Amino acid sequence: YTSPDSDDIQDAENASEIDAFKQSGNFSEATTIAFGDYLYHELQVKGLEGMFEFSSQDSDEDKLDDLLTSDTFELNITINESDDSVSANSEPKVLINTKNTDNSGNVDADLDALEDDFEDFHVIADGDADTYYLGFPMAFNDNTEIDGTLQSDTLDDDDEFDVTVNITANDNSNLVSENVSVTQTFTVENRSVELDTERDESGDDLISLEADSGQVVTGTTNLAPGSEIDIRLRATGENPFLLSQTVETDAQRNYEASFDLSDRAVGLEFEVTATGPAQTAETVDAVVVESTATETPEPTEAPEETEPPEETATPEPTATPTEEPTATETPGQPGFGVIVALLAFMAAALLAIRRD
């Protein structure tokens, strides 16, 4: 695991507190450790609880010191350069070996070797969870000395190391029933903080930010998640300005910060600088460009809704009377039937009178 140089993490006393830092992203699994960050090794071993309870010391660091110097069982911690990392015709680099012997042949098995070489060596023992953490600050390029040698001269970028914890049983103790050996590998790297850029016409790195709000500067780093990065935008000359923001790297070791450049003139040139711990920094030229945001049109008021007219009953249709057909006379002399009959009656009467 790796973490930034944090007092809060170094004050943690049990696995539950470390779990909280894992949840926040400030304590992350890693195989690459940047100089200046903390390297933590998690050991999940049953049986160490009894070994730590065997000590009468208060702090976990002092209890580990007792275990290293005990003749009841063998406990050894080593950090040696991996075989694949050793240069040709060179001896492997040894950072820690708690069983080293001094010039008198005495075993230098106490924690002084760790405390002298790693000032803030940190131990967290949680026997209830069978979990133990050993923490070392990777401050080798900050003039830390091991055996009188500056680590910046001893360690190189991309050196790979094996951390090994050995617990060996012997006839003097019932605390350990069998030998235990745990090894983990990590690589050290020089600190780096990089800004995400584009290429200008000349092929040089450039950052273009629009004359608008919400302009985001992004970048990557190999520093531990949770490390603080200071991002500064600075212009000099006739239109100087200075904007800055401090952000934390995320679990993927990326970072970003947002700035408001809506009141900056298009074409204004400035610099963007990202700075991490120990003044690890990168500076890139930048320019303000025209905003590509489109104005949102003003919404038009919707017409007021009108109530629909009340429905009126549709009148029932009235039946149209149909005329009865008029009886017609028998064809003959249309229109004169009655008159002719009357005349015939009168003619017959006259004839009768005459005969009489």
Side-chain angles (χ1 to χ4, degrees):
Y1 289 86
T2 185
S3 74
D5 187 357
S6 166
D7 290 338
D8 291 336
I9 295 177
Q10 293 168 31
D11 289 339
E13 297 181 350
N14 54 57
S16 296
E17 293 181 29
I18 292 297
D19 287 341
F21 288 113
K22 289 179 182 179
Q23 295 281 341
S24 68
N26 292 354
F27 197 93
S28 304
E29 292 186 32
T31 57
T32 301
I33 312 297
F35 291 125
D37 288 336
Y38 256 77
L39 164 69
Y40 277 89
H41 290 279
E42 180 186 78
L43 306 176
Q44 294 184 343
V45 182
K46 291 185 178 181
L48 282 182
E49 180 181 9
M51 297 171 66
F52 271 83
E53 291 179 354
F54 175 79
S55 172
S56 60
Q57 300 294 335
D58 293 329
S59 71
D60 289 335
E61 288 79 10
D62 289 338
K63 289 181 179 181
L64 180 60
D65 193 358
D66 275 355
L67 298 179
L68 291 169
T69 56
S70 172
D71 58 1
T72 306
F73 40 73
E74 296 288 337
L75 174 62
N76 188 26
I77 301 172
T78 62
I79 301 182
N80 298 328
E81 189 175 8
S82 303
D83 293 339
D84 294 339
S85 179
V86 179
S87 302
N89 302 319
S90 301
E91 293 293 325
K93 300 170 184 177
V94 179
L95 302 185
I96 293 176
N97 185 353
T98 56
K99 294 301 184 185
N100 279 337
T101 57
D102 59 23
N103 295 332
S104 305
N106 297 322
V107 176
D108 180 18
D110 61 13
L111 207 56
D112 291 341
L114 297 180
E115 291 176 341
D116 290 345
D117 299 337
F118 301 91
E119 182 179 354
D120 296 320
F121 179 66
H122 186 205
V123 179
I124 302 171
D126 191 337
D128 293 337
D130 291 321
T131 303
Y132 304 83
Y133 294 95
L134 306 178
F136 309 86
M138 297 288 102
F140 299 128
N141 63 348
D142 290 342
N143 297 330
T144 298
E145 292 188 4
I146 291 183
D147 298 331
T149 303
L150 291 178
Q151 290 307 298
S152 56
D153 296 333
T154 301
L155 295 185
D156 296 315
D157 187 31
D158 288 333
D159 276 353
E160 184 181 85
F161 290 89
D162 294 328
V163 178
T164 302
V165 177
N166 289 314
I167 304 172
T168 306
N170 59 39
D171 296 335
N172 297 326
S173 172
N174 293 322
L175 295 178
V176 179
S177 59
E178 60 183 12
N179 298 339
V180 176
S181 180
V182 181
T183 300
Q184 293 176 322
T185 301
F186 69 94
T187 302
V188 293
E189 287 185 343
N190 292 328
R191 296 184 183 98
S192 69
V193 174
E194 298 179 353
L195 287 160
D196 293 335
T197 63
E198 58 193 76
R199 296 288 185 178
D200 63 12
E201 296 178 354
S202 302
D204 297 326
D205 289 338
L206 180 70
I207 295 176
S208 299
L209 299 179
E210 298 179 7
D212 204 343
S213 60
Q215 298 306 292
V216 179
V217 174
T218 62
T220 59
T221 179
N222 64 350
L223 299 172
S227 297
E228 290 188 347
I229 305 292
D230 296 323
I231 302 176
R232 184 183 67 178
L233 279 56
R234 181 173 180 266
T236 58
E238 296 181 358
N239 299 296
F241 76 88
L242 178 63
L243 300 174
S244 63
Q245 191 176 152
T246 299
V247 296
E248 289 187 355
T249 57
D250 62 19
Q252 287 72 44
R253 305 191 188 194
N254 300 321
Y255 62 88
E256 67 175 45
S258 179
F259 297 92
D260 185 356
L261 299 180
S262 56
D263 58 347
R264 306 301 168 186
V266 173
L268 177 63
E269 296 180 349
F270 59 100
E271 290 182 338
V272 178
T273 300
T275 306
Q279 300 305 306
T280 306
E282 181 179 46
T283 299
V284 174
D285 292 333
V287 64
V288 178
V289 298
E290 188 174 352
S291 174
T292 58
T294 56
E295 293 186 4
T296 304
E298 292 286 336
T300 56
E301 293 184 2
E304 293 184 3
E305 294 185 1
T306 57
E307 294 184 3
E310 293 184 3
E311 294 184 0
T312 56
T314 303
E316 292 291 331
T318 56
T320 304
T322 55
E323 295 182 359
E324 293 292 329
T326 305
T328 59
E329 297 289 334
T330 304
Q333 296 179 355
F336 295 96
V338 174
I339 297 177
V340 172
L342 181 60
L343 289 178
F345 175 74
M346 292 176 64
L350 287 176
L351 287 178
I353 294 174
R354 282 182 178 180
R355 290 175 177 172
D356 290 336

